[in-house]
Amino acid sequence: MAGILAWFWNERFWLPHNVTWADLKNTEEATFPQAEDLYLAFPLAFCIFMVRLIFERFVAKPCAIALNIQANGPQIAPPNAILEKVFTAITKHPDEKRLEGLSKQLDWDVRSIQRWFRQRRNQEKPSTLTRFCESMWRFSFYLYVFTYGVRFLKKAWSDPWLWNTRHCWYNYPYQPLTTDLHYYYILELSFYWSLMFSQFTDIKRKDFGIMFLHHLVCIFLITFSYVNNMARVGTLVLCLHDSADALLEAAKMANYAKFQKMCDLLFVMFAVVFITTRLGIFPLWVLNTTLFESWEIVGPYPSWWVFNLLLLLIQGLNCFWSYLIVKIACKAVSRGKVSKDDRSDIESSSDEEDSEPPGKNAHTATTTNGTSGTNGYLLTGSCSMDD
């Protein structure tokens, strides 16, 4: 075990040339990041999860009820043993050939069978109230942590590294760790650890894998930048990426409460902030200093490469999400309101269609998704920004 730990904490991987762990030991004059500090994130992540449960039940839920948000979930599919067997044992998305066979077997029209499968897929999905509570918790946390980050940077207002990023690398890695910066890092790391575990019980969405990758990369980035004392530039990364999150959750809450104009306004604000910070400021300001200024002042070393590769991966995810945002914005321009997010967890169907009883009617020309060629994302109401 000692050999494995010695290999893992090899100074030539983590630290610049001619720097050792002994050089970064805490002294009476200065405090530096220590790897063992990160263990605090695990009990704190559990505490954050428990606070979330309490918040959602005693704060978010009463707010949702006050806004007349109901706990009713999607419409439940009528019991049918044959269709249930196909759904559970064969496929949740029957193709056209199977739909034709079931239509003849049950004496139902194809459209009614498509509707049954859509309702059956949706009925296990969470209610609007549940989604509102989750969004309100995330909004509250994102707002708090972003406010804290801004307050920390405001304290560092007179420090040159905030305005001239080259100072992030002068005297690196012998830059003292402040109490505020330590708290900020541990809080962010704890939150992402809590998301890693709660994601398996949270509302499932189509980008589950991408979000899981995002949380994992964030944990690695926070850990790497803390251990090798890249905390200054790490703070800039965290604060930039926190700036838009609260606006997204606020827009989702407005959507669930059916405040259409507020939803549209918040979404526009979110889109502007997101694209400006993640496609503009982040690559031009942060990636520029981590890739080029640090190379010039400090020089590359193994963990430097890993850190920058993770930052580039985050930027790739930023580009992907920006594409989705632009796609929603284009739909909004053409339809007059923000349409359903392509990552939505609930499939759409018109009220008229859902009210039709199953029967032997003429076959309707629809797609296998049962939404007349809209690929499951009909615009059926106010904006939907399901994360």
Side-chain angles (χ1 to χ4, degrees):
M1 180 59 72
I4 295 175
L5 289 175
W7 169 82
F8 182 80
W9 292 113
N10 189 305
E11 295 165 341
R12 298 285 59 82
F13 172 81
W14 288 96
L15 301 174
H17 186 62
N18 291 332
V19 179
T20 67
W21 292 120
D23 298 330
L24 298 178
K25 287 294 184 182
N26 292 334
T27 64
E28 294 182 359
E29 292 78 20
T31 300
F32 299 103
Q34 305 297 312
E36 53 267 25
D37 296 344
L38 300 177
Y39 291 128
L40 293 172
F42 294 105
L44 188 55
F46 177 76
C47 292
I48 288 175
F49 182 73
M50 297 306 297
V51 169
R52 172 187 172 172
L53 296 180
I54 296 171
F55 180 91
E56 289 187 358
R57 177 161 186 176
F58 297 104
V59 178
K61 187 174 181 180
C63 290
I65 293 173
L67 293 170
N68 295 318
I69 297 176
Q70 303 299 319
N72 298 331
Q75 185 175 348
I76 296 178
N80 186 290
I82 295 175
L83 295 181
E84 184 68 26
K85 184 177 180 180
V86 173
F87 182 87
T88 56
I90 302 176
T91 178
K92 297 181 180 181
H93 299 271
D95 56 23
E96 187 174 351
K97 183 178 180 180
R98 191 175 298 278
L99 288 171
E100 292 285 351
L102 290 171
S103 175
K104 294 177 182 178
Q105 183 178 359
L106 296 172
D107 197 30
W108 286 16
D109 65 286
V110 171
R111 186 169 181 172
S112 298
I113 296 174
Q114 289 174 325
R115 186 187 312 113
W116 188 94
F117 274 92
R118 183 170 53 254
Q119 291 174 351
R120 181 64 181 83
R121 289 191 295 268
N122 285 341
Q123 73 182 38
E124 297 176 355
K125 309 260 176 93
S127 66
T128 302
L129 186 144
T130 301
R131 287 183 281 166
F132 179 91
C133 292
E134 180 184 300
S135 289
M136 188 170 180
W137 157 251
R138 294 194 179 197
F139 166 79
S140 302
F141 185 88
Y142 289 143
L143 183 63
Y144 167 73
V145 77
F146 175 65
T147 303
Y148 183 88
V150 170
R151 187 171 68 87
F152 168 75
L153 292 177
K154 187 177 179 180
K155 285 184 178 180
W157 198 266
S158 59
D159 292 341
W161 64 266
L162 182 59
W163 304 107
N164 183 355
T165 51
R166 295 180 67 87
H167 285 269
C168 290
W169 310 107
Y170 292 148
N171 196 38
Y172 173 82
Y174 307 107
Q175 298 163 348
L177 177 71
T178 65
T179 302
D180 287 339
L181 184 54
H182 169 77
Y183 172 77
Y184 187 37
Y185 252 74
I186 297 300
L187 182 63
E188 289 273 12
L189 181 60
S190 302
F191 178 67
Y192 280 108
W193 271 120
S194 72
L195 287 181
M196 280 289 290
F197 299 123
S198 66
Q199 190 175 7
F200 294 96
T201 58
D202 284 346
I203 298 168
K204 295 295 188 298
R205 297 183 173 94
K206 293 184 177 181
D207 65 345
F208 173 86
I210 294 176
M211 289 305 299
F212 184 83
L213 174 63
H214 171 265
H215 299 336
L216 195 61
V217 171
C218 287
I219 288 172
F220 278 128
L221 272 172
I222 295 171
T223 301
F224 266 79
S225 61
Y226 187 85
V227 169
N228 60 15
N229 203 15
M230 291 183 179
R232 288 183 176 180
V233 72
T235 302
L236 301 179
V237 174
L238 289 172
C239 199
L240 271 179
H241 282 75
D242 287 338
S243 59
D245 292 337
L247 290 171
L248 174 62
E249 299 303 331
K252 289 160 67 175
M253 288 192 295
N255 166 54
Y256 300 144
K258 302 188 187 304
F259 296 151
Q260 177 66 46
K261 292 183 179 179
M262 184 180 294
C263 171
D264 292 346
L265 176 62
L266 288 168
F267 177 78
V268 170
M269 293 171 61
F270 159 73
V272 170
V273 173
F274 187 97
I275 293 174
T276 300
T277 55
R278 303 199 186 193
L279 296 190
I281 298 175
F282 179 64
L284 297 178
W285 189 36
V286 175
L287 287 181
N288 176 67
T289 192
T290 61
L291 287 170
F292 303 112
E293 292 177 350
S294 66
W295 179 293
E296 177 185 345
I297 297 170
V298 179
Y301 50 98
S303 68
W304 179 94
W305 289 101
V306 175
F307 181 70
N308 279 287
L309 285 173
L310 291 173
L311 285 177
L312 291 172
L313 181 55
I314 285 288
Q315 183 59 14
L317 294 175
N318 289 340
C319 292
F320 170 74
W321 283 317
S322 297
Y323 160 75
L324 293 182
I325 292 169
V326 172
K327 190 174 180 180
I328 295 171
C330 291
K331 289 181 181 179
V333 171
S334 62
R335 300 180 179 184
K337 64 173 77 173
V338 178
S339 60
K340 188 171 285 291
D341 188 340
D342 281 353
R343 298 173 296 157
S344 175
D345 54 334
I346 297 290
E347 297 176 68
S348 300
S349 60
S350 66
D351 294 337
E352 177 184 356
E353 183 180 300
D354 284 342
S355 63
E356 273 185 33
K360 185 68 176 176
N361 300 326
H363 290 194
T364 306
T366 61
T367 67
T368 56
N369 288 330
T371 52
S372 302
T374 56
N375 197 28
Y377 301 109
L378 235 74
L379 184 67
T380 58
S382 58
C383 74
S384 179
M385 259 76 63
D386 292 336
D387 195 2

